[in-house]
Amino acid sequence: MRTLPTQHDPNGHERARARLAPRWVWLGAALAIASAPFSATAAPPTTARELAAAAANKARAAEFDDAIELYEAAFAQDPSPVLLLNIAVILDRQGRVFDAIQAYERHLSFESDPVGRLSSTERLAAVRVGAPGRVVVTGAPPGAEVFIDDVRVGRVPKATADLPAGDHSLRISHSGYVTFSSTIVVSPGVKQTVEAALAPVQVAAPADVPEPVPLAETENDDDSRTLWIWIGVGTAITVGTALALGLVYGLDDGGSNTVAPRPADRTWSLGGELR
Amino acid sequence: MKRTLFGFLLAGVVASCAAEEDVVAYDTVYLDISLTGEVIPPTRLVARVMTHTNDGPVLKALDIDLTGIDIASSPYRVKLDVPPGSPFTSETILSVVAYHDDTPVASYAARPSLAEPGDMVVAMVPLTRQCDSDEDGFANCLAGAACCDKDQADYAHDCDDADPAIQPLATNPSCRLCDGTTVCDEGAELTRS
C-alpha cells in the first residue's frame, strides 16, 4: 500500500527545519532587544543578530535607508532570507516600486520555505498591480532624441520613462539617421529596455543584380526515410502492445491485480467554488 | 538506432508484465484522521486546506459532525476529491482541528502533496491551554514537545499564541509568517517588537 508523506515523514522538512531554526534565534533576539532598555552607551552592532535588531529599530523609527543598510550588513554575515523580505517590505512601504519588486524577487531567489515564498509572492503581486512600467532606451547613436506618445523623454542612452501599463508609441530620431517608430507594450512593474539602432541615411546606389541562386540539390533521403520507417514500426508495435496489455490487465476485472481502497466515511471535494 | 528502438520496446513490455502483485487502485488522497494521547472526546472536526493562486490565497474547509462517532477507536476516513486543475494540487497546507463543543482539543497540520493519490495518516496531537492559549486551534510549538509534532513548527506553528488573528491559515499573509519578523497589524508589519 502506498502511503503519502505524513507529519512523521514529510518531504524535505528536515531541510526546512534546519534552515528555519535561525528564525527563532532572530525572534529571540528581537524580543530580548525590545524588552531591555536601549542604552545610549551600547556598543555598535557587529554580529548579524545585533545588526538585524538595530535595523528593526531603525525601521520602527522610519529611518528606512539606515534600516536597509543594516539589514544588508546582517545579510552579508548571515544570509537568512527573511532579512531580504524585510528590505523588500521597507522599499515597498516607501513606494519605491521597482526597487521593491527587485527586492521581492531577490528574496524569492533565496527563500525556499513555502510560507515565506507565499508571503513574498503575494506582496510582489500587490506591488505590481497598478504599478507603472519603466522603459529605458539605450543603444546608438548617442544623442538620439526619444519621444514616447509624442512627448520627449530624453536622449539615448539615458532616456527613461515610467508609463502606465498599455500600448505607447515610441519614436527615436537623430539627424542623418532614419527615424525609428514603433509601438511598445508596457506591463505594470516591469522594466524593459529598448535597444535603439538607427540606420544612417544613405544615398541609394545602383542595385546589384543578384546572381540566380541555384536550386539546392535534392539530398539523398534514403537514411532519413529508413529512420522514419523504423520509428513508425516501433510506435505501432508499442501502441499495439499497450492496447493488448490494457485489455488483459485493465478491462478484464477477473484478471486485474488491483484492489479498491477502503471505503471513506466522507468525501470532500476540493473543486468548484473556492473561498 | 534500430537497436535502441527495439531496446525501448522490449524494456516496456518486460516492465508491464513484471508487476503481478496486488496494488491498491488509488485515484485520489484518503485522510485517515485519528487521535493520539488522552483527549476529551471531540464533537466535531474542522479540516482546512489552503494554497496560493494568482488571485491570492484560497481556503477550503470541511466541518464534520462527530456525534455518535468515536475517532479514538477507529480513524475517520475522508476521501478527497481533487479534480485536475485544482489549485490544491500545488503547495498546500492541511490543518485538522478537533473540537469539543467550541474548544479545540487536538490538532494536526502538514504540508502534503494532494496530487499524489494514496492514504495519508492524520494523527492529531492533544491541544491544551499551554499549547494553544489563544484557542485558535493552532499550537505554539515552543510551549513544549507534547504540543506539536516535531515537524509542525516548520510550516504550521502559531508564532503568536496570544493573538488568535495570527495563525498559519490566516488570509492576511502578514498574520501567518511565523518567522518573528512581521506583525499582523495593518500597515505596521515591518518587525515584531
Side-chain angles (χ1 to χ4, degrees):
Chain A
M1 178 178 293
R2 184 176 181 187
T3 302
L4 286 177
T6 69
Q7 281 184 308
H8 303 283
D9 183 25
N11 281 331
H13 290 165
E14 290 298 328
R15 288 194 307 275
R17 188 170 61 260
R19 187 183 44 68
L20 274 178
R23 296 184 175 204
W24 302 111
V25 176
W26 293 119
L27 171 60
L31 289 171
I33 294 286
S35 60
F38 195 79
S39 171
T41 58
T46 53
T47 67
R49 190 182 308 174
E50 291 170 344
L51 289 164
N57 283 329
K58 290 288 186 183
R60 274 196 290 274
E63 297 174 26
F64 295 127
D65 290 341
D66 290 344
I68 291 172
E69 197 172 316
L70 286 165
Y71 275 129
E72 289 283 9
F75 184 75
Q77 290 197 22
D78 181 356
S80 175
V82 74
L83 297 169
L84 298 181
L85 179 59
N86 276 347
I87 292 172
V89 171
I90 290 173
L91 292 167
D92 192 357
R93 302 292 296 283
Q94 287 182 289
R96 294 163 63 179
V97 175
F98 294 100
D99 292 337
I101 289 170
Q102 199 170 13
Y104 282 128
E105 288 171 343
R106 183 181 173 207
H107 170 247
L108 285 170
S109 71
F110 280 88
E111 183 62 272
S112 58
D113 177 65
V115 177
R117 290 186 64 82
L118 199 62
S119 176
S120 203
T121 305
E122 287 174 355
R123 290 165 185 269
L124 182 57
V127 173
R128 281 191 168 137
V129 170
R134 177 166 292 179
V135 176
V136 178
V137 182
T138 61
E145 288 189 303
V146 178
F147 299 83
I148 294 180
D149 296 332
D150 293 326
V151 175
R152 183 181 179 280
V153 296
R155 291 179 181 274
V156 172
K158 290 185 178 179
T160 301
D162 291 341
L163 304 165
D167 293 353
H168 297 271
S169 67
L170 169 68
R171 179 161 49 90
I172 307 170
S173 62
H174 193 280
S175 62
Y177 290 82
V178 178
T179 297
F180 172 82
S181 296
S182 181
T183 298
I184 51 174
V185 180
V186 174
S187 301
V190 175
K191 176 182 173 182
Q192 62 175 306
T193 301
V194 177
E195 184 84 14
L198 301 188
V201 176
Q202 290 182 336
V203 177
D208 294 333
V209 178
E211 292 182 6
V213 178
L215 289 174
E217 291 180 10
T218 304
E219 294 179 5
N220 186 343
D221 285 337
D222 282 352
D223 288 344
S224 172
R225 197 171 296 135
T226 306
L227 172 66
W228 282 110
I229 288 171
W230 278 110
I231 289 175
V233 169
T235 304
I237 293 174
T238 306
V239 169
T241 307
L243 285 173
L245 288 172
L247 285 171
V248 171
Y249 292 104
L251 302 180
D252 181 5
D253 285 339
S256 173
N257 62 343
T258 62
V259 294
R262 289 188 294 115
D265 299 308
R266 180 80 176 262
T267 298
W268 184 16
S269 174
L270 298 184
E273 189 79 13
L274 299 173
R275 69 178 177 92
Chain B
M1 176 57 77
K2 298 170 194 172
R3 288 178 184 173
T4 306
L5 281 172
F6 276 115
F8 278 128
L9 176 64
L10 190 61
V13 171
V14 169
S16 301
C17 297
E20 287 293 338
E21 64 192 44
D22 285 354
V23 293
V24 179
Y26 282 109
D27 57 351
T28 187
V29 179
Y30 289 79
L31 308 180
D32 281 326
I33 305 172
S34 61
L35 288 170
T36 61
E38 292 293 320
V39 177
I40 303 171
T43 53
R44 70 186 179 103
L45 291 175
V46 176
R48 284 172 288 188
V49 287
M50 182 178 190
T51 188
H52 177 76
T53 69
N54 289 335
D55 297 327
V58 290
L59 185 69
K60 263 195 169 272
L62 175 68
D63 211 318
I64 301 169
D65 183 2
L66 290 181
T67 304
I69 300 172
D70 179 15
I71 62 168
S73 59
S74 64
Y76 190 89
R77 190 166 169 85
V78 175
K79 179 183 181 183
L80 289 187
D81 175 18
V82 190
S86 165
F88 296 104
T89 54
S90 57
E91 283 180 350
T92 300
I93 294 177
L94 166 70
S95 155
V96 182
V97 181
Y99 293 86
H100 179 81
D101 297 332
D102 289 329
T103 304
V105 294
S107 76
Y108 170 92
R111 196 178 58 221
S113 168
L114 301 184
E116 296 177 34
D119 284 337
M120 180 176 175
V121 176
V122 176
M124 289 186 290
V125 175
L127 278 178
T128 62
R129 287 286 297 179
Q130 180 197 9
C131 302
D132 182 24
S133 61
D134 58 7
E135 294 196 339
D136 61 0
F138 291 92
N140 168 19
C141 295
L142 299 180
C147 293
C148 300
D149 182 274
K150 61 183 175 56
D151 297 308
Q152 186 174 335
D154 290 348
Y155 44 81
H157 158 68
D158 193 346
C159 56
D160 188 340
D161 208 25
D163 185 351
I166 299 178
Q167 39 103 333
L169 294 188
T171 51
N172 180 346
S174 302
C175 305
R176 62 172 182 270
L177 194 65
C178 290
D179 55 18
T181 58
T182 61
V183 295
C184 190
D185 299 336
E186 188 64 33
E189 68 269 31
L190 291 178
T191 53
R192 179 184 297 282
S193 59

